[in-house]
Amino acid sequence: MEERVPGCDSAKNLQPSRLGVSDHRDGIADEAGRRPGRASVTQYSVVIQLPGTQIDGPKMDESSTAGDTPKRDGILRRVLEELGLVSLYASSRDVKLLCLQRFVRMFAYGVSTLILVAYLSALAIPKTGIGLFMTLTLVGDICISFFLTLFADALGRRAVLALGALLMAASGVVFALSGSYWVLLVAAVVGVISPSGNEIGPFRAIEESIAAQLTEPKNRSDIYAWYNLLGLVGAACGCMACGWILQYFTETLQWDVVRAYRAMYFGYAVIGLLKLTLTLLLSHSVESEKKQLEIRSRNDEMRPLLEGTTSANAPPKKRLRGLFPDISKESVPVVITLCLLFALDSFGSGLAPLSWITFYFKSQFGIEEGTLGSIFFVTQTIAGASMIVASSLAKRFGNVNTMIFTHLPSQIFRSLLGVPSDVRLALVFLILNASMQSMDTGPRSAFLATIVLPAERTAVMGTVNVVKTTAQSLGPILTGVLVDRNLFWVCFVGSGGLKILYDLGLLAFFKNKEKERERAERSRIERDEEQQQGGTNS
């Protein structure tokens, strides 16, 4: 039945199309103006038409405005998704804290890298002693990192991260107070001091394992891309801040250099305490699934009933054996193959590290330090930006394909660095190499998280990092021998060639393996969700 409003000619005057009434909807609309799968509520405005008057049409085209807004919102969201910001925003609080910890820690490493050699030189330590110092520091890092990551899941991930932060702070205090070579060496070997600005300590393997556990497989490449990007930015900011602060201490305050360096190491210790604070803010969700079950069982009064179907049937482990991670038989050949391939890649990196590349451009083309610093600042910035592009590619082509087909071309340009006699062509190869050399970093971490089982991630990632660090430390020895014989180009060719072999090996062994593990992990997640829902309903 048609209702009429007094004073109106007809109910037609209530039609929204004639009154300029628009639908009010939240979210993103489709082209038809309605969001699929959701009811749409239309609000009508009743206009009373007085005798002798006419109803004015809409003063503005609201339909076109309402249509443009969802399109703009859709484009903006698509851009944010491609940049990985949607995944980062939707991630848990613990994941955001891990990314912040990565930035803070690499900021401190950037500070230490800029002043370590200069500080030891100011203490009248000879260059051979400084070289031995840095080598032993690396050896100590390998041993301690391997031990802590091996037992991190059993001891507690938060506890190991907190211990690492305390060692980091303690190292800073010792470096700020002592001038003895052997005391500083013990502090560097036992504590956490980065000799090259790269990641050291047990932090990265544990943090990447936590991020994999708390992140959906499809979003891992985004999270790892931003995790690594923030680390690169943190190191760059640490170097820059340290340089300006040192200049203020020595030029404005007229401090001697040793006092200024020690003040910076006090700052290093403070940053270590800040990292400790961020670690303590992490929740129990960062612990391994096995550790979480242990925590819940201790706090649950109904432990016998809850564990009757699982742990009651499992034979108890000896206390020491229980600290070791359980590596399945099917994972052993996978881990061995990964270690061999990553060792090949890292040895190639060690043949032509950044320090040797900068020396090559300085000695071969006579580039001044200021210009050289600007060149490598640009290349590092390009390398950092390329990580975000890689996460977008990984969503479409998979982690393995993204790793291989971005990393392989960059190594061709790396091999050619020593060929040109013209500086401009050499810089072109350098920039082309930098534009793709870091694109495999995020997908590599996501690939590692997928290819190994959840209970094995921390131990496997720690083992892989130790193997990579060990292999990389062997490269500079051979590089020094080749440079003494004026064979710098052999270093670049050997470095690029080994990395290309790594890419081909990865393609041969793991192209299809990743998809199988992804399907298995999705099935496991679905089973866990069904069990949780079943437990809640019962």
Side-chain angles (χ1 to χ4, degrees):
M1 178 178 179
E2 184 180 87
E3 297 184 3
R4 297 179 178 271
V5 179
C8 294
D9 292 339
S10 165
K12 294 179 180 179
N13 292 327
L14 297 179
Q15 295 177 358
S17 60
R18 298 188 59 183
L19 297 178
V21 180
S22 61
D23 295 352
H24 296 274
R25 300 176 299 276
D26 56 4
I28 301 173
D30 59 4
E31 294 180 359
R34 295 184 182 273
R35 190 172 183 179
R38 177 175 291 189
S40 177
V41 179
T42 305
Q43 297 181 354
Y44 295 93
S45 299
V46 179
V47 179
I48 307 299
Q49 181 180 2
L50 299 176
T53 62
Q54 293 182 351
I55 297 177
D56 296 332
K59 295 183 179 180
M60 62 180 294
D61 191 357
E62 295 186 9
S63 60
S64 61
T65 303
D68 292 342
T69 301
K71 290 181 180 179
R72 287 196 298 269
D73 292 343
I75 294 174
L76 177 60
R77 182 178 178 83
R78 183 65 178 272
V79 171
L80 295 177
E81 286 178 347
E82 294 298 328
L83 294 176
L85 289 172
V86 173
S87 299
L88 184 64
Y89 179 79
S91 64
S92 66
R93 173 175 170 270
D94 289 323
V95 172
K96 295 182 178 70
L97 283 173
L98 292 177
C99 292
L100 182 58
Q101 286 189 51
R102 167 82 166 173
F103 175 86
V104 170
R105 183 173 66 256
M106 294 304 294
F107 185 96
Y109 290 170
V111 171
S112 176
T113 301
L114 190 67
I115 64 176
L116 179 59
V117 176
Y119 179 47
L120 296 176
S121 298
L123 295 175
I125 297 174
K127 297 297 186 292
T128 53
I130 295 175
L132 178 63
F133 185 97
M134 299 180 74
T135 301
L136 292 178
T137 299
L138 192 60
V139 171
D141 167 62
I142 292 172
C143 298
I144 293 176
S145 297
F146 180 73
F147 176 80
L148 291 178
T149 52
L150 188 64
F151 300 113
D153 284 355
L155 298 175
R157 293 171 178 172
R158 285 197 307 171
V160 173
L161 290 176
L163 176 60
L166 284 173
L167 292 175
M168 182 177 172
S171 300
V173 172
V174 173
F175 269 69
L177 297 178
S178 178
S180 170
Y181 178 83
W182 297 107
V183 173
L184 295 177
L185 180 61
V186 171
V189 171
V190 178
V192 180
I193 292 288
S194 176
S196 61
N198 295 325
E199 183 71 88
I200 63 170
F203 305 111
R204 181 171 181 173
I206 298 174
E207 289 174 352
E208 288 184 346
S209 179
I210 294 172
Q213 179 176 307
L214 300 180
T215 306
E216 294 183 8
K218 64 179 181 180
N219 295 332
R220 283 176 186 160
S221 60
D222 290 337
I223 298 301
Y224 285 132
W226 280 100
Y227 174 84
N228 289 289
L229 175 61
L230 288 172
L232 189 64
V233 172
C237 292
C239 286
M240 183 175 64
C242 180
W244 284 108
I245 294 173
L246 277 176
Q247 185 174 339
Y248 174 77
F249 285 160
T250 55
E251 295 183 4
T252 304
L253 300 182
Q254 298 298 315
W255 288 9
D256 64 88
V257 291
V258 173
R259 182 185 179 188
Y261 291 147
R262 288 178 172 174
M264 297 309 301
Y265 275 109
F266 271 123
Y268 183 92
V270 171
I271 296 174
L273 294 177
L274 175 59
K275 189 196 177 306
L276 174 63
T277 303
L278 294 174
T279 300
L280 296 178
L281 292 176
L282 295 172
S283 69
H284 290 291
S285 299
V286 303
E287 302 293 353
S288 64
E289 295 177 357
K290 180 180 177 181
K291 190 71 175 180
Q292 291 184 50
L293 289 174
E294 292 178 359
I295 294 173
R296 283 197 294 266
S297 64
R298 285 198 300 265
N299 297 332
D300 200 325
E301 296 178 355
M302 303 300 293
R303 179 180 176 183
L305 295 177
L306 292 176
E307 295 185 347
T309 59
T310 56
S311 60
N313 297 327
K317 288 186 178 181
K318 295 182 180 180
R319 188 172 185 83
L320 182 61
R321 176 66 184 88
L323 294 176
F324 288 89
D326 293 323
I327 305 297
S328 61
K329 292 183 179 180
E330 64 174 349
S331 295
V332 171
V334 173
V335 173
I336 292 175
T337 305
L338 283 174
C339 287
L340 292 175
L341 289 174
F342 286 139
L344 194 66
D345 176 60
S346 296
F347 183 71
S349 298
L351 284 176
L354 184 61
S355 56
W356 279 111
I357 295 176
T358 56
F359 175 77
Y360 170 77
F361 276 88
K362 177 178 172 56
S363 60
Q364 186 74 13
F365 303 109
I367 301 176
E368 297 180 355
E369 284 81 358
T371 304
L372 197 62
S374 300
I375 289 172
F376 282 94
F377 175 79
V378 172
T379 58
Q380 291 294 89
T381 302
I382 293 173
S386 68
M387 293 180 182
I388 306 302
V389 179
S391 68
S392 178
L393 295 175
K395 297 174 187 175
R396 291 168 170 78
F397 305 110
N399 292 315
V400 174
N401 288 332
T402 302
M403 290 164 61
I404 295 169
F405 295 109
T406 59
H407 189 256
L408 194 149
S410 71
Q411 302 317 309
I412 296 175
F413 297 122
R414 187 185 188 92
S415 302
L416 297 175
L417 279 177
V419 175
S421 57
D422 181 45
V423 62
R424 289 170 293 186
L425 184 57
L427 288 175
V428 169
F429 288 152
L430 179 67
I431 293 173
L432 290 174
N433 173 58
S435 65
M436 291 180 284
Q437 69 174 355
S438 299
M439 292 183 73
D440 69 324
T441 305
R444 179 191 296 180
S445 300
F447 164 72
L448 271 177
T450 302
I451 205 67
V452 298
L453 299 176
E456 307 166 355
R457 282 182 187 137
T458 305
V460 170
M461 287 181 171
T463 302
V464 168
N465 286 339
V466 167
V467 170
K468 289 167 59 179
T469 305
T470 304
Q472 189 170 358
S473 66
L474 301 175
I477 300 174
L478 181 58
T479 302
V481 175
L482 292 172
V483 172
D484 281 339
R485 290 165 172 75
N486 199 25
L487 295 173
F488 224 136
W489 66 272
V490 177
C491 300
F492 292 122
V493 173
S495 176
L498 289 173
K499 286 175 165 289
I500 289 174
L501 288 177
Y502 151 78
D503 290 324
L504 297 177
L506 203 63
L507 181 64
F509 286 103
F510 294 105
K511 182 179 180 181
N512 297 322
K513 192 74 174 178
E514 181 187 19
K515 295 180 181 179
E516 297 175 3
R517 287 297 178 95
E518 283 181 350
R519 288 193 293 266
E521 186 170 8
R522 289 196 194 99
S523 300
R524 183 187 64 82
I525 293 174
E526 291 175 358
R527 287 197 304 269
D528 292 343
E529 291 177 350
E530 291 175 358
Q531 291 176 359
Q532 291 177 359
Q533 292 177 357
T536 303
N537 295 333
S538 60

